Amino acid sequence: MPFLPLNQQEMTERGWDGVDFVCVTGDAYVDHPSFGIAIVSRVLEAEGFRVGMIAQPDWRSAKSFNVFGRPRYGYFVTGGNIDSMVAHYTAAKRRRSDDAYTPGGKAGKRPDRATIVYCNKIRELYPDIPIVIGGIEASLRRFAHYDYWDDAVRPSILVDSGADLLIFGMGEHQTAQIARRLAAGEPPSALTDLRGICYTAPMGTAVEDAVSIASFHKVSTDKAAYARATKQQIDEQDEVTGRPIVQKHAENLVVVQTPPAPALTQEELDRVFALPFMRYYHPSYEAQGGVKAIEEVEFSIMHNRGCFGHCNFCSIAYHQGRRVTCRSRESVLAEAKAFTQNPHFKGYIHDVGGPTANFRLPSCKKQEKLGLCKDRKCLAPSPCPALQVDHSDYLELLRELRALPGVKQVFIRSGIRFDYLMADQNDAFLRELIAHHVSGQLKVAPEHCSAQVLDRMGKPHIEAYNRFQEQFYRITRRIGKEQYLVPYLMSSHPGSTLKDAVQLALFLKKNNIRPEQVQDFYPTPATLSTCMFYTGLDPYTMKPVYVPKTSEEKAMQRALLQYFKPENRRLVKMALLKAGRADLIGSGKECLIPADRDFIEKHKQAALRQGGDASWRGRGVRAQGAGKKPSRYAKGKPKQKPKKG
């Protein structure tokens, strides 16, 4: 099955005189199931509709959205695989210089707030045509939300875009149902009985069993109201217990969210991944250098959806849901066998993962009837007693993949939830993971070491990571391999003070971890962490939360995580003095940076004033790294060595 038409010529070559639906995306056209719009377009095609694709249109001209003429039934619009504002700006709000989702990596091929801009241009062409929006950009902005880039609360994206319907979450069910009913002649206003959608309605519209949350005006002016509304939104995201939510946006306008759509069953998920994807970017991009985003996914396998880990800074639980659904082993093996027929395949499956690689089961047996708990997390701060922990199915899947003719090695590069792994009394999976599935480095996400920061993150305490690290290196040494853990770390998350950042720096030094990169907390819409960042409140307790907001403090927290870099010494010194940890400046065993001349002179004078020893020199052992073999933290090299003994 060829790519869907990208222009009128390709449509004509199919013998079509028009299309039923047009899909618009802020990304290049990559027909791969890791791209949401690729799934939407193939689901529409499987329903028997003619579908045209408009990828990265010139948003300055409405004509760019009229490539196929007026579609018979409507448009499906997405900003792309990642939020357009995140695609364009760093956490420091600096403009990015490249874009992996654009041919040749060229930046600037989509507008800021792409979903809104695209819909407004379509409305210029066809004021009355049905427009359905979805994807991460729309899903996270379904209600009034704090916008980091504006530093203000914005209304629901439905209001700004003028779209008729918003699909939130994973949208296969909604896409098929909407398409069928639009084709049957029903207007978008008649589709409000569907689950997993949002729509606007006149004030006073009856919505049975609905939860009313604070209005757009209220959450824009009252941070406590914003925090309470955030908790209500998250509490209603379960497919079993979730109720409709109504939020007033204007004198005569409300936004309504219907209950979440049920997660796909294993059979339904298998059917989605069996759709005739080309699994590559459109050939027209080859001359421009191709699309870099395909590199990580072309020979990787996504075997599950959803994440009951539910970290507070992550959008997965709000978008995909906390309920885990996995593909059958037969479906995954069929995809791997297809790799071996691809001339580009070198025998290496790069990843077998998903939102969390080692989840193959729902978190507990009761959730099918009772839903997931609203008042606690499945894994943090410690695993729930009702948690199902079993890696046997995932382990068997990996064994079968390794045994396939033409497959040399199967890697798991990231996404391992180490606290879930450590809750397993059987260490067979851990042993085989280390022996067969680590490509030199395994990325894991402790994020921090301070208990109070980890609590704000919704992550397990550092003791779980310490146990995992110890076992990882013990088994690695035993089998005679040289492999390393690469921890993901985050600075400046709500709750993190300078003292917490110093604690993390000391943890990194103690464990000989020298991260190449660290991530500043990035406040993206709809997460619990973003709510804390904006309001200074924990929405579940309504207690105050310390929030590092100034660029100076963020820079200091980030520098502490890379205290060993000479260019960071000034910031690290400032941070240590401000945190009251001058004892960590000098040549002592725990010191983070050496003392400079000004620091020595200052302490010498202080000692003299107090009648002390004027020969103060920051005594102690040599500075970190002096006389030692340098750590291998150059690009592409391991960041951590296993500890001896």
Side-chain angles (χ1 to χ4, degrees), residues 333-401:
L333 289 167
E335 183 173 349
K337 289 174 184 175
F339 289 171
T340 66
Q341 305 304 309
N342 187 322
H344 297 146
F345 184 62
K346 305 300 182 185
Y348 300 97
I349 295 176
H350 297 157
D351 206 358
V352 183
T356 296
N358 52 325
F359 287 176
R360 289 282 292 175
L361 291 169
S363 57
C364 67
K365 294 179 180 178
K366 67 179 183 179
Q367 67 180 246
E368 185 174 345
K369 291 184 178 180
L370 301 178
L372 285 123
C373 299
K374 292 182 181 181
D375 57 349
R376 72 152 295 160
K377 294 181 182 291
C378 301
L379 284 164
S382 59
C384 174
L387 183 70
Q388 294 187 100
V389 184
D390 188 350
H391 287 87
S392 59
D393 189 50
Y394 188 37
L395 181 56
E396 187 57 36
L397 170 62
L398 293 170
R399 287 169 175 168
E400 291 181 24
L401 287 168

Side-chain angles (χ1 to χ4, degrees), residues 294-309:
I294 194 64
E295 293 177 5
E296 284 298 313
V297 299
E298 184 182 8
F299 298 119
S300 295
I301 298 175
M302 188 188 311
H303 75 92
N304 64 10
R305 274 188 184 172
C307 181
F308 54 76

Side-chain angles (χ1 to χ4, degrees), residues 261-510:
L264 269 61
T265 64
Q266 185 171 89
E267 294 74 18
E268 289 172 329
L269 194 56
D270 285 355
R271 283 199 294 272
V272 168
F273 279 83
L275 292 171
F277 300 101
M278 298 300 290
R279 298 181 177 273
Y280 209 60
Y281 54 75
H282 193 276
S284 63
Y285 302 136
E286 199 64 52
Q288 302 169 62
V291 181
K292 188 175 178 61
I294 194 64
E295 293 177 5
E296 284 298 313
V297 299
E298 184 182 8
F299 298 119
S300 295
I301 298 175
M302 188 188 311
H303 75 92
N304 64 10
R305 274 188 184 172
C307 181
F308 54 76
H310 193 196
C311 299
N312 290 343
F313 52 79
C314 180
S315 62
I316 291 173
Y318 192 68
H319 180 58
Q320 290 196 11
R322 292 168 64 194
R323 182 178 294 264
V324 170
T325 304
C326 65
R327 296 164 63 188
S328 68
R329 297 212 301 263
E330 292 74 19
S331 171
V332 173
L333 289 167
E335 183 173 349
K337 289 174 184 175
F339 289 171
T340 66
Q341 305 304 309
N342 187 322
H344 297 146
F345 184 62
K346 305 300 182 185
Y348 300 97
I349 295 176
H350 297 157
D351 206 358
V352 183
T356 296
N358 52 325
F359 287 176
R360 289 282 292 175
L361 291 169
S363 57
C364 67
K365 294 179 180 178
K366 67 179 183 179
Q367 67 180 246
E368 185 174 345
K369 291 184 178 180
L370 301 178
L372 285 123
C373 299
K374 292 182 181 181
D375 57 349
R376 72 152 295 160
K377 294 181 182 291
C378 301
L379 284 164
S382 59
C384 174
L387 183 70
Q388 294 187 100
V389 184
D390 188 350
H391 287 87
S392 59
D393 189 50
Y394 188 37
L395 181 56
E396 187 57 36
L397 170 62
L398 293 170
R399 287 169 175 168
E400 291 181 24
L401 287 168
R402 295 201 310 259
L404 287 177
V407 172
K408 297 177 182 177
Q409 202 154 3
V410 179
F411 295 120
I412 301 170
R413 293 193 171 180
S414 64
I416 289 291
R417 187 82 190 212
F418 59 82
D419 49 341
Y420 181 75
L421 195 158
M422 296 310 295
D424 195 340
Q425 299 302 309
N426 185 341
D427 70 349
F429 171 72
L430 178 59
R431 286 187 281 105
E432 292 202 23
L433 168 71
I434 295 169
H436 299 290
H437 302 292
V438 177
S439 176
Q441 301 177 8
L442 178 66
K443 297 176 183 177
V444 287
E447 302 293 359
H448 214 283
C449 69
S450 163
Q452 71 166 8
V453 179
L454 291 167
D455 286 343
R456 300 301 185 195
M457 291 178 166
K459 296 283 292 185
H461 290 181
I462 197 62
E463 288 77 14
Y465 176 76
N466 288 338
R467 291 195 301 273
F468 170 71
Q469 176 181 250
E470 182 182 349
Q471 288 206 37
F472 179 90
Y473 285 120
R474 177 176 55 80
I475 296 171
T476 296
R477 288 192 299 270
R478 191 173 69 205
I479 63 177
K481 285 198 169 189
E482 186 177 350
Q483 298 180 150
Y484 305 89
L485 292 175
V486 180
Y488 288 118
L489 302 164
M490 187 183 297
S491 62
S492 302
H493 187 277
S496 177
T497 65
L498 272 178
K499 289 185 178 180
D500 292 309
V502 171
Q503 182 182 344
L504 180 54
L506 291 170
F507 172 83
L508 297 176
K509 181 174 183 180
K510 178 182 177 182

Side-chain angles (χ1 to χ4, degrees), residues 2 13-14 41 51 60 101-102 139 198 203 340 366 373 400 428 435-436 448 467 485 506 582 584 616:
E13 287 171 356
R14 285 186 170 224
S41 61
V51 184
R60 303 167 189 87
Y101 292 86
T102 297
S139 188
C198 296
M203 189 71 183
T340 66
K366 67 179 183 179
C373 299
E400 291 181 24
H436 299 290
H448 214 283
R467 291 195 301 273
L485 292 175
L506 291 170
L584 298 178
W616 187 92

Side-chain angles (χ1 to χ4, degrees), residues 497-503 506 553 556 560 571-585 590 592 599 602-603:
T497 65
L498 272 178
K499 289 185 178 180
D500 292 309
V502 171
Q503 182 182 344
L506 291 170
E553 181 172 357
M556 287 190 288
L560 279 164
L571 282 170
V572 172
K573 177 183 173 183
M574 289 170 55
L576 293 174
L577 293 175
K578 192 169 183 179
R581 295 304 307 270
D583 59 302
L584 298 178
I585 302 172
E590 286 196 348
L592 296 177
F599 184 84
K602 178 181 176 182
H603 281 75

Side-chain angles (χ1 to χ4, degrees), residues 220-239:
S220 300
T221 56
D222 183 338
K223 291 185 177 181
Y226 187 101
R228 287 190 291 268
T230 297
K231 178 183 182 298
Q232 289 175 294
Q233 292 164 30
I234 291 172
D235 283 350
E236 301 300 335
Q237 294 312 305
D238 185 77
E239 66 179 72

